[in-house]
Amino acid sequence: MTAFPIARGSESHFLYSPPMAITIPSLNESENLEFGYAPSRAEVHKTSVSSEPTIVVASYNIRYAVGPHLISGGLFRKVAGRGVRNRAAQVERNIERAARAFSDDKLLPRPDVIAVQEADKETARAGRHHVARELAEALEMNWVHVPAGIPRGEKPKGRQWWLDFEEPIGLFDTGDTGIALLSQLTFSNVTRIDLPWHECAWRPRLAMAATVTVGPRRLRIFNAHVDPHAGVGGQLEQLETLLAEAQKDDGPTLIVGDFNTLSKNKILETRGYLQSRGYSTPFPSGTSTWHGMGIRLHADWIFYRHVQISRWGVARPLGISDHWPIWAEIDLS
């Protein structure tokens, strides 16, 4: 594993050629990009996949592999004043379950690329597990993790009551959360994208991008985790930043992730904004990708440009998170 430092707000492109080590000056150690390499299976699968014009891409807000009970779990913590016991063992089991779901061809075809959100790195709430790394190792995939760089010792800002169920990371917890890409293919041009955020200074929002090569074609993949606390205007400001980066490359592009479109208005605004800039999605508005206490919402999306999608779906049921994985088969031919 090699860590790649990068300063917040800057653009950086890395050609990932493991296991070569690269050292780049860092302004903030907490924002190091981490890469991991699975030489045995990944190299073999990379050769077979690269000759095919199609790959399967999935996106999953894994909720640090703690389970699906966001609302009831939050209420329990408020009443009982404590979290779940044996958290490390619980998260370990859920990572193993996620690995089986992504590899057994039952809920979804085996993905070649997985975009992960809420991928905690060694936090107390995740039982000190490195969720992205351990899931990638179980699947024998290459991986890159982009940490959020949460502020230490800064108390969370007050939020709307319906968004106050999530278990926070401790004020002085040495771990972090973040997003990640896992892939049977090697990455190139990995970019950290810091999204503008105003309403939750305790939790920066970010996206990332990386390029994979499929036969003679290159596919640029963006993984985003948009702020649920912002209003529609705040979310669109984050999408503008994301699209500004995506427009730097006019080739085949995917934008996937948790867009936190938790209302009909946010669904319409987000979908309309992406479509007005040349992106399409196979997912009908209102497709259930999030669940809790009998509520179902459409939070997760796959948007595409200059490719075709032959199949898509939502991997239900899977009780590892309050989200379900979404997936699409991408045809670059």
Side-chain angles (χ1 to χ4, degrees):
M1 181 183 70
T2 304
F4 292 72
I6 179 172
R8 177 180 298 283
S10 66
E11 174 188 334
S12 183
H13 300 285
F14 300 107
L15 177 61
Y16 178 43
S17 303
M20 179 181 66
I22 299 176
T23 301
I24 301 173
S26 175
L27 297 180
N28 190 336
E29 186 67 22
S30 70
E31 294 173 0
N32 286 358
L33 275 68
E34 289 183 277
F35 289 83
Y37 183 51
S40 56
R41 181 185 177 91
E43 279 299 300
V44 172
H45 194 67
K46 180 187 70 173
T47 301
S48 62
V49 168
S50 64
S51 62
E52 300 294 332
T54 63
I55 61 171
V56 174
V57 176
S59 177
Y60 190 26
N61 182 325
I62 198 169
R63 194 179 169 240
Y64 46 97
V66 76
H69 304 297
L70 171 65
I71 298 175
S72 59
L75 292 173
F76 174 80
R77 284 192 309 275
K78 291 177 184 297
V79 173
R82 61 180 175 82
V84 179
R85 296 178 181 176
N86 303 318
R87 179 60 60 84
Q90 177 191 34
V91 171
E92 181 178 8
R93 288 193 299 269
N94 281 335
I95 292 173
E96 292 171 355
R97 290 176 60 204
R100 286 196 300 272
F102 283 122
S103 60
D104 64 11
D105 257 341
K106 293 181 179 179
L107 295 179
L108 72 165
R110 182 179 178 111
D112 301 293
V113 179
I114 307 172
V116 184
Q117 304 87 41
E118 292 194 26
D120 275 21
K121 174 188 174 183
E122 299 168 357
T123 62
R125 70 179 187 178
R128 299 301 175 190
H129 286 277
H130 193 318
V131 174
R133 185 193 70 203
E134 293 173 33
L135 179 59
E137 289 174 350
L139 291 167
E140 297 186 349
M141 299 176 83
N142 304 316
W143 60 275
V144 55
H145 180 260
V146 181
I150 59 172
R152 311 295 177 183
E154 183 173 338
K155 292 184 178 181
K157 184 178 179 180
R159 296 166 286 175
Q160 302 95 327
W161 66 268
W162 61 89
L163 292 170
D164 199 22
F165 297 108
E166 190 60 83
E167 181 177 356
I169 296 174
L171 291 182
F172 299 98
D173 195 319
T174 56
D176 206 342
T177 190
I179 57 178
L181 281 173
L182 285 55
S183 179
Q184 301 285 9
L185 308 169
T186 52
F187 303 105
S188 64
N189 296 338
V190 176
T191 307
R192 175 192 176 104
I193 306 163
D194 288 279
L195 303 178
W197 46 275
H198 309 288
E199 298 190 35
C200 56
W202 53 274
R203 188 170 180 187
R205 290 292 165 168
L206 71 160
M208 64 181 297
T211 300
V212 297
T213 302
V214 184
R217 304 294 297 276
R218 292 161 57 86
L219 177 64
R220 189 75 168 153
I221 301 175
F222 289 79
N223 176 15
H225 192 192
V226 176
D227 184 6
H229 307 87
V232 171
Q235 288 191 334
L236 290 181
E237 183 184 11
Q238 294 184 349
L239 293 179
E240 287 172 356
T241 300
L242 181 64
L243 264 292
E245 180 65 36
Q247 294 304 108
K248 294 178 180 180
D249 188 326
D250 62 0
T253 303
L254 291 183
I255 300 177
V256 310
D258 178 7
F259 290 77
N260 273 306
T261 45
L262 304 181
S263 70
K264 182 178 180 180
N265 192 31
K266 288 184 177 182
I267 288 173
L268 294 176
E269 289 285 347
T270 294
R271 184 184 190 119
Y273 180 80
L274 269 295
Q275 288 180 335
S276 71
R277 281 150 181 80
Y279 291 85
S280 302
T281 179
F283 290 85
S285 296
T287 301
S288 299
T289 68
W290 180 93
H291 59 102
M293 297 287 286
I295 304 169
R296 295 192 174 194
L297 299 171
H298 188 173
D300 307 270
W301 296 82
I302 294 175
F303 291 96
Y304 64 94
R305 181 187 66 181
H306 302 328
V307 299
Q308 297 295 324
I309 290 185
S310 51
R311 296 187 296 158
W312 62 272
V314 182
R316 311 187 192 103
L318 187 61
I320 295 165
S321 167
D322 52 342
H323 294 250
W324 290 302
I326 60 174
W327 61 273
E329 186 176 74
I330 313 302
D331 186 348
L332 289 101
S333 62

